[in-house]
Amino acid sequence: MQKLNAAIIGLGFVGRAHLEALRRLGINVRGILGSTPERTESAADSLQLPHAYSSLDELAADPSVQVVHLCTPNHLHFPEASQLLRAGKHVLSEKPLTMDSRESAALVSLAKQVNLVGGVAYNLRYYPLCQEARALIKRGTIGQVRLVHGSFLQDWLLYPTDWNWRLESKLGGELRAVSDIGTHWLDLMMWMTGSNVSELCADLATVLATRKRPKGRVETFQKAGAMETEEVLITTDDYASVLLRFENEAHGVLTVSQVSAGRKARLWFEIDGSEGSLAFDSETPNTLWIGRRDRASELLPKDPGLMSPETRGYAAYPGGHAEGYPDTFVQLFKDYYAYIAAGDFAAPRTFPTFETGHLELILCEAIIESSQKKSWIFVGE
């Protein structure tokens, strides 16, 4: 198997999550690139990494690096990925893949042209019991899927003094809560059910129309504290509810919020079929509820001994040993790097790809259009 070396661009919360997962897999991380040389040098020293890249050009020219992880603000993904692909690097990007579907379509085309592997970090697929839920649906355990509903709720932007670069549309895009966390839920539901969203009707709201932006740097989930601030207008969404129709004729609804007090990162779903139901909550990710009418419903614990043969490999520890958010990155990267190492890029891909990221941006644009027109929209038209 080919030995692969990685580099990471972006030193914040999610960049460090990528680094931890790569280290757990034994993948050599050659170095990192931050927003300034000073921050890069400091982070490379504190994280005990061998190299602090001074620029994207230097990283792209490093022949010892085969894969680059993009953990930067959204507006940088397209130029970074484009340059790295042309330099012969495989790219795994944080979501959303780009700022719009025109850019994402260009990346899909470029990755095919240079025969390199693009991935997107929709890592929440890799909770072991989400893998199991997909297997149960595929096997017909709950019958025909009829209803798909749930939410992704957070509270980290509840107060006017909470701040993050995602609040600025020029850095994060026209959508925020939907593109940041809503696309995780949408990706999960389409992947689990094997059916894409065909139509939708969306309601978006900016609950806090003005916020206090600190005159200093604030990392994701970090509080601004006593920093001096300035008041700014906000146009991105704090909240969304989206009615959904799927290609398999299932109906659904998604609610997304980053202003729901007490909800730290709660992705919840229920999928109701003709013979049963499945429900999952990411804040208690080691149980899957299986609903029945004709007998007692049950809770399936995360236990490879009880899971389907095809999903056991996604549970790294025995039953009773909890697995959570950091483990999802490990399982995603394991799939992604094994695929690259195998070398057959025409083979089916089990991980979320650039095509996945492109579809999510098409959905985001349909959600924007629906909210503006206050009507149902056919996705992709």
Side-chain angles (χ1 to χ4, degrees):
M1 184 178 284
Q2 178 189 0
K3 178 66 175 175
L4 297 166
N5 295 319
I8 300 172
I9 308 179
L11 312 177
F13 161 77
V14 80
R16 291 168 190 254
H18 280 234
L19 174 61
E20 179 196 12
L22 290 169
R23 282 175 161 168
R24 285 174 58 183
L25 289 167
I27 294 167
N28 182 42
V29 180
R30 292 281 300 151
I32 52 176
L33 172 63
S35 57
T36 66
E38 295 76 22
R39 292 193 76 236
T40 304
E41 289 282 356
S42 175
D45 181 60
S46 66
L47 297 170
Q48 299 182 341
L49 289 167
H51 193 71
Y53 293 99
S54 61
S55 67
L56 183 61
D57 288 343
E58 183 191 356
L59 194 165
D62 186 348
S64 70
V65 171
Q66 291 79 44
V67 183
V68 180
H69 291 238
L70 305 184
C71 302
T72 48
N74 305 344
H75 72 292
L76 297 174
H77 293 175
F78 178 71
E80 289 171 344
S82 299
Q83 181 172 345
L84 292 164
L85 287 168
R86 291 192 175 97
K89 314 295 187 191
H90 304 285
V91 174
L92 198 153
S93 175
E94 268 298 324
K95 45 74 204 160
L97 176 58
T98 58
M99 293 284 273
D100 57 47
S101 65
R102 178 188 58 82
E103 290 182 343
S104 59
L107 286 185
V108 169
S109 178
L110 178 58
K112 288 178 180 177
Q113 178 186 327
V114 297
N115 195 33
L116 292 166
V117 182
V120 183
Y122 285 113
N123 55 297
L124 302 188
R125 291 185 184 187
Y126 286 87
Y127 281 112
L129 290 176
C130 288
Q131 294 280 334
E132 180 67 11
R134 180 174 187 259
L136 293 173
I137 292 168
K138 199 172 182 180
R139 196 182 307 147
T141 300
I142 65 168
Q144 178 186 355
V145 173
R146 293 173 170 171
L147 306 176
V148 179
H149 50 109
S151 59
F152 201 151
L153 308 177
Q154 297 177 321
D155 70 358
W156 71 295
L157 295 173
L158 176 65
Y159 300 128
T161 51
D162 293 326
W163 189 261
N164 182 259
W165 59 261
R166 290 172 178 82
L167 291 157
E168 299 187 58
S169 58
K170 66 181 180 180
L171 302 180
E174 193 171 348
L175 287 178
R176 188 223 319 150
V178 169
S179 64
D180 186 24
I181 57 176
T183 56
H184 265 303
W185 190 96
L186 289 164
D187 171 69
L188 193 58
M189 294 305 101
M190 292 188 294
W191 171 76
M192 278 186 177
T193 62
S195 181
N196 289 340
V197 173
S198 57
E199 300 174 70
L200 57 82
C201 185
D203 174 42
L204 302 178
T206 304
V207 176
L208 296 173
T210 61
R211 288 179 181 267
K212 297 182 184 299
R213 178 170 58 195
K215 296 181 178 180
R217 187 179 188 89
V218 178
E219 296 287 358
T220 301
F221 300 120
Q222 178 187 343
K223 300 301 180 185
M227 285 186 187
E228 185 182 354
T229 63
E230 57 185 348
E231 195 165 275
V232 295
L233 294 174
I234 301 297
T235 60
T236 55
D237 49 303
D238 292 312
Y239 157 88
S241 279
V242 188
L243 293 170
L244 305 164
R245 293 174 185 159
F246 291 79
E247 291 174 348
N248 65 357
E249 299 186 352
H251 296 257
V253 61
L254 161 66
T255 297
V256 178
S257 166
Q258 292 179 321
V259 291
S260 295
R263 297 300 185 188
K264 303 307 176 185
R266 184 183 187 258
L267 181 150
W268 174 84
F269 67 79
E270 182 171 317
I271 300 174
D272 301 328
S274 56
E275 302 296 330
S277 300
L278 300 171
F280 174 84
D281 181 344
S282 68
E283 290 189 344
T284 54
N286 288 274
T287 55
L288 177 69
W289 180 80
I290 303 175
R292 306 289 189 187
R293 172 174 166 168
D294 57 352
R295 61 187 186 274
S297 298
E298 58 185 297
L299 285 179
L300 174 67
K302 191 278 308 177
D303 182 344
L306 300 175
M307 293 166 63
S308 303
E310 64 268 35
T311 66
R312 287 171 188 159
Y314 293 102
Y317 296 95
H321 297 76
E323 294 178 61
Y325 178 77
D327 303 281
T328 64
F329 286 103
V330 174
Q331 296 295 340
L332 165 58
F333 298 167
K334 185 172 72 173
D335 264 9
Y336 179 74
Y337 278 81
Y339 183 88
I340 295 172
D344 179 8
F345 298 166
R349 302 180 181 191
T350 58
F351 53 87
T353 62
F354 275 7
E355 287 82 358
T356 308
H358 177 55
L359 173 59
E360 293 293 335
L361 282 157
I362 290 172
L363 284 170
C364 284
E365 289 169 357
I367 287 169
I368 293 170
E369 183 180 358
S370 172
S371 177
Q372 290 172 343
K373 292 182 175 179
K374 301 186 185 303
S375 66
W376 282 89
I377 295 293
F378 286 96
V379 175
E381 291 191 1

